[in-house]
Amino acid sequence: MARRRKRENASGGGHDRWLITYADLITLLLIFFVVMYSMSKVDLDKYDEISDALRSEFNRSHSVLDGGDGITDGVNPPLGADDARLQLEREKRLYRERQFQQMVGQMQAYIEANNLQAQVNAATTTRGVTFTMNDLFLFDLGKAELKPEAKPVLEKLSSLFAEIDATISIEGHTDDLPLATGSIYVDNWGLSGARSLSVLRYFLYDTQLDPQKFVSASYAHTRPVAENTSAENRAKNRRVEIVVLWEEPAS
C-alpha cells in the first residue's frame, strides 16, 4: 500500500491537479474579455479628430488628377435654388453664343459663295449679330420697294432666324441729304422707316416668321457709320441693318 502511494505521488497523478488547469483557463478568458471590452470603447474626441484630419486631407489641393481640387473633386454637392438658377443661365448663355457664332459663319459663307461682299456684311457686335445691306442692293434710289435680286439674301436670313429665339431689330438709315422734290416721303425719317418696314413685311408675309420676333426702327441720318462729306461715305450710310439682339430690348 505504502509502495503504491509513493508511485502515484511520483507520477503526479493527484486528484486536484485539474483545478490548476481550470483556473488558468478562467484567467485567460477573463483577460480576453477585458481586452475586447477595452477595444470596443470608442473615444469620441479621438474619432472626431481623426475624421477632421481625413476630411482635410481629402480636400487638399493636391489632386490625383491634374487640375482637380482633391479626392472629392467632381463630387458635386446638391445645388441650392440660386446655384441652380445661375447654372441654368450660364448654360443658356453658352448655347446662345454657339447659335450666334454658327449664324455668322453660315451667312459669311453664303456671302462669299455668291460674291456679295460689296453689298452685304455679317459681323458680331456688342449688340449681337448685325447684317448690313446697302440701300441700292435692296431698293431703287429714293424708294422702299424691295428689288427681286435682294430677296434670295433675305430668304437665306429667314432660314437662320427661324432657328433662333431672339429679338430681331430691323433698322433703316439714310444719309443727310434731303429727299428729291416729288418724293412720296416727307423726309429721310419717312424713307428710312418705310424701308425698314418693307424688309420686315418680307419676313412676316413671304417667309411666315413669327411677328413677335421683330421690332422696326427708323434712324434717318442720325447714326452714320461715316461722315457725310463725300458720295462714297453717304453711300455707306444709306443702309438697312438687321440686328439679332443679344439682350432683350427694354419694355
Side-chain angles (χ1 to χ4, degrees):
M1 245 344 230
R3 203 177 288 145
R4 184 169 60 187
R5 228 184 261 116
K6 285 182 181 179
R7 275 201 303 268
E8 286 178 354
N9 291 336
S11 61
H15 295 291
D16 297 331
R17 188 167 180 77
W18 64 272
L19 289 174
I20 298 173
T21 303
Y22 181 77
D24 290 340
L25 178 60
I26 293 299
T27 303
L28 290 172
L29 285 173
L30 178 61
I31 294 171
F32 174 78
F33 284 116
V34 168
V35 171
M36 292 295 292
Y37 178 74
S38 65
M39 290 177 63
S40 68
K41 293 197 64 171
V42 178
D43 188 333
L44 294 178
D45 292 337
K46 290 291 183 182
Y47 177 82
D48 290 338
E49 215 173 293
I50 294 171
S51 178
D52 291 339
L54 289 173
R55 189 180 300 111
S56 174
E57 186 66 25
F58 285 163
N59 289 323
R60 285 176 58 191
S61 60
H62 303 291
S63 173
V64 175
L65 301 176
D66 290 340
D69 293 324
I71 294 175
T72 57
D73 181 40
V75 180
N76 297 321
L79 294 177
D82 290 341
D83 292 334
R85 178 179 54 80
L86 291 173
Q87 183 172 341
L88 180 60
E89 290 177 357
R90 183 163 53 248
E91 290 174 354
K92 287 174 64 176
R93 185 173 65 250
L94 292 173
Y95 177 72
R96 195 176 184 85
E97 286 176 357
R98 287 194 296 270
Q99 278 190 311
F100 276 41
Q101 291 169 358
Q102 290 174 359
M103 185 166 46
V104 172
Q106 291 178 33
M107 196 59 194
Q108 287 175 340
Y110 177 87
I111 291 169
E112 292 177 7
N114 292 275
N115 297 315
L116 295 171
Q117 292 90 338
Q119 291 83 27
V120 184
N121 180 63
T124 302
T125 66
T126 55
R127 299 177 64 199
V129 176
T130 301
F131 304 98
T132 304
M133 289 168 279
N134 64 43
D135 70 324
L136 293 180
F137 174 69
L138 295 171
F139 314 103
D140 288 326
L141 187 64
K143 296 184 178 182
E145 294 77 28
L146 285 171
K147 290 182 178 180
E149 54 266 33
K151 292 183 178 180
V153 176
L154 296 179
E155 185 176 359
K156 175 63 178 178
L157 286 173
S158 177
S159 69
L160 300 178
F161 297 161
E163 302 298 325
I164 192 165
D165 181 19
T167 298
I168 301 164
S169 178
I170 303 175
E171 303 169 356
H173 300 266
T174 67
D175 58 25
D176 63 343
L177 295 177
L179 297 180
T181 303
S183 172
I184 62 173
Y185 304 105
V186 175
D187 51 25
N188 283 321
W189 290 100
L191 177 60
S192 62
R195 287 177 167 180
S196 170
L197 288 172
S198 184
V199 173
L200 172 62
R201 291 188 180 107
Y202 177 85
F203 289 132
L204 299 187
Y205 304 137
D206 289 53
T207 61
Q208 304 296 312
L209 291 182
D210 183 359
Q212 294 185 1
K213 285 178 178 281
F214 294 94
V215 294
S216 176
S218 59
Y219 292 110
H221 61 283
T222 60
R223 298 192 179 184
V225 293
E227 292 185 10
N228 286 295
T229 55
S230 66
E232 183 180 0
N233 284 355
R234 289 191 179 96
K236 293 177 182 178
N237 292 330
R238 297 191 302 269
R239 68 200 189 276
V240 170
E241 292 183 348
I242 303 173
V243 186
V244 184
L245 298 173
W246 178 258
E247 300 292 343
E248 293 293 329
S251 58

